[in-house]
Amino acid sequence: MRHFFSLAGLLALLSPLAAQAQSAGSAPNDDPSYRKEFVYGLNFNTRGGLIGGVSVRSSKVLNEKWSRYWSIEGVEVKHPKERRLPSYNGSSFVRDKANYMFVLRPTFGAQRVIFRKAPESGVQINGLFGAGPSIGLLMPYYVYYDYTPRDSNYNALGPEDIRSEAYDPQKHSNLNLIFDRAPLFSGINELKPRVGAHVRGALSFEYGRYRDAVAGIETGFLLELYTKRPIIIRSLNVDENSINNRFYPSVYLTVYLGSRS
């Protein structure tokens, strides 16, 4: 979460980029004369890595206070107990990771202007609420495991035998023989869906000197529940249902750019 707060400083850089993406003859935004807004951005959240994912949002203005919107977000969800370890070839792997979990979240909701900015300066504050389905995709986590016959000092006794396999804590119990993680999409043909639902609430802080360009940040919470428990990690001699959850609350921040018409 500590990197969230430094992102607010990006607004000063994002605003000129948003303005350059539009025509040079844009007019000042002194009223809600635009009827539509489209933004896209990078998502950071407490369930993801450094960058959680990407999102797009399309809004339609209903009146001076209210808009309705749809959005879609694509993120990776990680388990809080994931732990990266070095492998013996100098690379690394995630201990006990059974599956990657990628989630698509279509959201439908409403947005209300809480504070409207001055025509050519300041920050506009909006409140957002939305809900929708969550479509989770589980993809097996593959590792390279060393089956080369070795003595007690790990000296090879025969030809090198390293195989790419989906991680299994029973089969790959000796972590010292994990050579490396396999390429990301090694298990793409073994995707398993998980269906759930989510709700979110957020505040957006929006800056834009021109009527047809916008930049800002959106920060809020998301509550997500799945009908069937997604298995992200597996551990030796531990019930996988006891260490994986159906409920995934998170806090997020999205940095976005966009346009209006």
Side-chain angles (χ1 to χ4, degrees):
M1 289 296 295
R2 63 180 180 274
H3 60 280
F4 282 8
F5 302 101
S6 64
L7 291 170
L10 289 175
L11 287 176
L13 298 175
L14 292 174
S15 181
L17 291 174
Q20 291 170 15
Q22 311 301 319
S23 60
S26 300
N29 179 15
D30 54 0
D31 58 49
S33 57
Y34 57 92
R35 306 312 301 168
K36 295 181 180 180
E37 180 179 273
F38 184 82
V39 300
Y40 51 91
L42 291 177
N43 174 276
F44 305 82
N45 67 80
T46 53
R47 291 284 181 177
L50 179 60
I51 298 179
V54 295
S55 67
V56 297
R57 185 177 76 234
S58 178
S59 304
K60 183 177 182 180
V61 175
L62 302 177
N63 55 46
E64 70 277 4
K65 288 290 186 181
W66 288 95
S67 302
R68 67 169 180 258
Y69 75 88
W70 65 263
S71 68
I72 187 164
E73 181 177 83
V75 301
E76 182 186 359
V77 173
K78 296 186 176 183
H79 195 285
K81 292 186 178 180
E82 289 185 18
R83 190 154 62 97
R84 187 169 295 278
L85 298 178
S87 56
Y88 77 77
N89 77 327
S91 186
S92 64
F93 65 97
V94 179
R95 179 176 182 174
D96 295 337
K97 190 173 182 72
N99 292 290
Y100 295 99
M101 183 172 173
F102 303 106
V103 183
L104 291 176
R105 298 182 181 128
T107 303
F108 305 89
Q111 173 178 293
R112 188 183 191 280
V113 177
I114 298 173
F115 175 79
R116 192 177 300 281
K117 73 180 185 67
E120 294 188 17
S121 62
V123 175
Q124 179 168 303
I125 303 176
N126 304 313
L128 299 93
F129 178 81
S134 295
I135 304 167
L137 297 172
L138 294 175
M139 184 175 72
Y141 183 75
Y142 270 66
V143 296
Y144 288 117
Y145 197 75
D146 191 347
Y147 287 94
T148 306
R150 296 178 181 273
D151 61 21
S152 59
N153 294 319
Y154 289 96
N155 296 313
L157 298 176
E160 186 177 71
D161 182 10
I162 296 176
R163 308 173 197 172
S164 174
E165 298 177 329
Y167 176 74
D168 181 335
Q170 300 287 340
K171 188 176 184 180
H172 308 127
S173 58
N174 190 341
L175 300 182
N176 293 322
L177 295 179
I178 295 180
F179 181 77
D180 199 353
R181 65 184 183 279
L184 174 62
F185 295 108
S186 297
I188 190 68
N189 60 334
E190 302 173 61
L191 287 174
K192 296 178 181 178
R194 291 292 181 269
V195 178
H198 69 271
V199 297
R200 70 172 78 224
L203 292 174
S204 71
F205 302 87
E206 184 178 290
Y207 176 77
R209 294 190 61 187
Y210 300 95
R211 186 192 68 84
D212 54 358
V214 62
I217 59 173
E218 176 185 324
T219 181
F221 68 90
L222 184 135
L223 305 176
E224 187 166 59
L225 181 67
Y226 287 89
T227 56
K228 188 176 180 180
R229 195 182 308 271
I231 304 302
I232 300 178
I233 64 172
R234 288 192 177 99
S235 189
L236 191 63
N237 301 322
V238 177
D239 180 11
E240 63 185 26
N241 290 322
S242 69
I243 54 175
N244 291 281
N245 303 312
R246 293 174 55 214
F247 180 56
Y248 289 87
S250 62
V251 176
Y252 73 91
L253 182 147
T254 299
V255 181
Y256 62 82
L257 297 171
S259 60
R260 292 164 168 166
S261 59

